[in-house]
Amino acid sequence: MTPLVVLPTYQEAENIETVLRRVRAAAPEAHVLVVDDGSPDGTAELAEKVAEDLGRIDVLRRPGKAGLGSAYRTGFVWGLERGFDVLVEMDADLSHSPEALPELLAVAEAGADLVLGSRYVPGGATPQWPRIRRFLSVWANRYAAAVLGLAVNDATAGFRAYRSDMVRRIDLSHSRADGYGFQVEMVYRIVRLGGRIVEVPITFTDRVEGSSKMSGRIVVEALALVTLWGVRDVLTGRRRG
Ligand SMILES: Nc1nc2c(ncn2[C@@H]2O[C@H](COP(=O)(O)OP(=O)(O)OP(=O)(O)O)[C@@H](O)[C@H]2O)c(=O)[nH]1
Ligand SMILES: [Mg+2]
């Protein structure tokens, strides 16, 4: 099976070379697609330089910052058109250890439709997070799981592998969600389609270089969407209240 690792980047000049080299070393069979949104710090140019050196890396340049959800939708369409069997989501800030790729890929190849690199199963960890951040994230996940009926501990996880056959069944053009909202939406749709989801423990480390693009808007959007989908399910009789 040929996997495609989609790396969305915005202002990751300090990380891009390291992440690309570590991905190649950890999963040499994987093709990589960097989706850069016109980073003013020259992330795309750096990625292109590493691509010339390593090969099997493509850089998709988009004109402006359009969000993580949109970057993944574009990357997935690109990968489906080219026939990749597995599509991987991974942050480019080294919070997701490339060395965990072989396990994610192996579980997808063994038949899981979606493999989540989970912080909230035994063995998963967020060593640098203050207790309050972990608490909020765990409870946001419990809320989403309860409202949407998902038997998943980390639906907001951003390190994951999908089997392309499953992604093909999802109408990506229908989705507008960004950030956590996009991550939960994909889990939700796959659960609705009867897909098999497996969580493998990962250690999430905080970025060392560069700055976060996370915003309160993305958190509020995700909570609002989860609530909306949950209410809709009850109203349409898909789920009892
Ligand atoms: N193409 C693209 N990539 C983005 C955009 N926003 C964020 N990213 C990338 O998405 C990944 C995750 O973004 P981060 O800023 O690390 O957000 P986060 O990991 O949720 O939050 P932190 O815990 O603060 O790191 C990184 O690789 C970013 O460069 C965007 O609008 N477009
Ligand atoms: Mg990050």
Side-chain angles (χ1 to χ4, degrees):
M1 283 195 147
T2 316
L4 175 70
V5 176
V6 181
L7 281 176
T9 55
Y10 189 73
Q11 302 281 65
E12 300 291 358
E14 290 138 301
N15 295 311
I16 190 66
E17 175 160 7
T18 309
V19 74
L20 287 171
R21 290 191 184 281
R22 279 174 58 184
V23 166
R24 177 55 47 83
E29 76 278 27
H31 195 103
V32 179
L33 177 69
V34 176
V35 183
D36 185 74
D37 280 358
S39 301
D41 69 358
T43 303
E45 289 77 6
L46 286 168
E48 281 163 354
K49 249 193 226 141
V50 181
E52 269 179 40
D53 184 19
L54 297 184
R56 289 187 295 119
I57 297 172
D58 279 277
V59 182
L60 205 71
R61 289 163 172 264
R62 307 198 305 168
K65 191 172 186 319
L68 189 67
S70 155
Y72 277 131
R73 285 187 289 272
T74 299
F76 289 174
V77 169
W78 191 98
L80 292 176
E81 282 171 358
R82 284 159 184 80
F84 291 98
D85 307 297
V86 175
L87 302 171
V88 175
E89 285 184 19
M90 187 174 152
D91 287 356
D93 60 0
L94 295 168
S95 286
H96 299 148
S97 165
E99 292 69 37
L101 277 170
E103 192 186 357
L104 259 67
L105 293 172
V107 177
E109 283 170 20
D113 295 299
L114 170 59
V115 188
L116 295 173
S118 179
R119 296 159 293 183
Y120 308 128
V121 292
T126 51
Q128 288 121 342
W129 281 9
R131 225 183 264 169
I132 181 70
R133 177 150 188 208
R134 187 170 167 100
F135 176 88
L136 290 174
S137 175
V138 165
W139 279 96
N141 266 291
R142 287 186 184 165
Y143 176 73
V147 168
L148 301 176
L150 314 173
V152 158
N153 296 286
D154 194 354
T156 60
F159 193 14
R160 42 173 81 188
Y162 301 85
R163 287 184 74 102
S164 296
D165 292 342
M166 181 50 71
V167 178
R168 237 177 239 117
R169 293 172 63 191
I170 297 173
D171 178 12
L172 293 169
S173 66
H174 181 85
S175 169
R176 291 282 172 278
D178 195 1
Y180 298 126
F182 171 72
Q183 308 297 12
V184 178
E185 181 177 31
M186 292 298 283
V187 171
Y188 172 55
R189 296 222 195 162
I190 290 172
V191 167
R192 285 284 175 270
L193 288 166
R196 200 160 86 81
I197 302 180
V198 177
E199 289 180 274
V200 302
I202 59 143
T203 296
F204 180 99
T205 49
D206 276 340
R207 66 158 72 240
V208 177
E209 303 292 345
S211 60
S212 175
K213 289 100 213 172
M214 183 44 54
S215 69
R217 180 189 66 77
I218 285 171
V219 177
V220 170
E221 181 205 61
L223 288 172
L225 283 173
V226 164
T227 307
L228 180 80
W229 297 329
V231 169
R232 194 185 56 195
D233 281 354
V234 171
L235 292 178
T236 57
R238 269 204 280 192
R239 237 171 99 80
R240 299 245 185 86

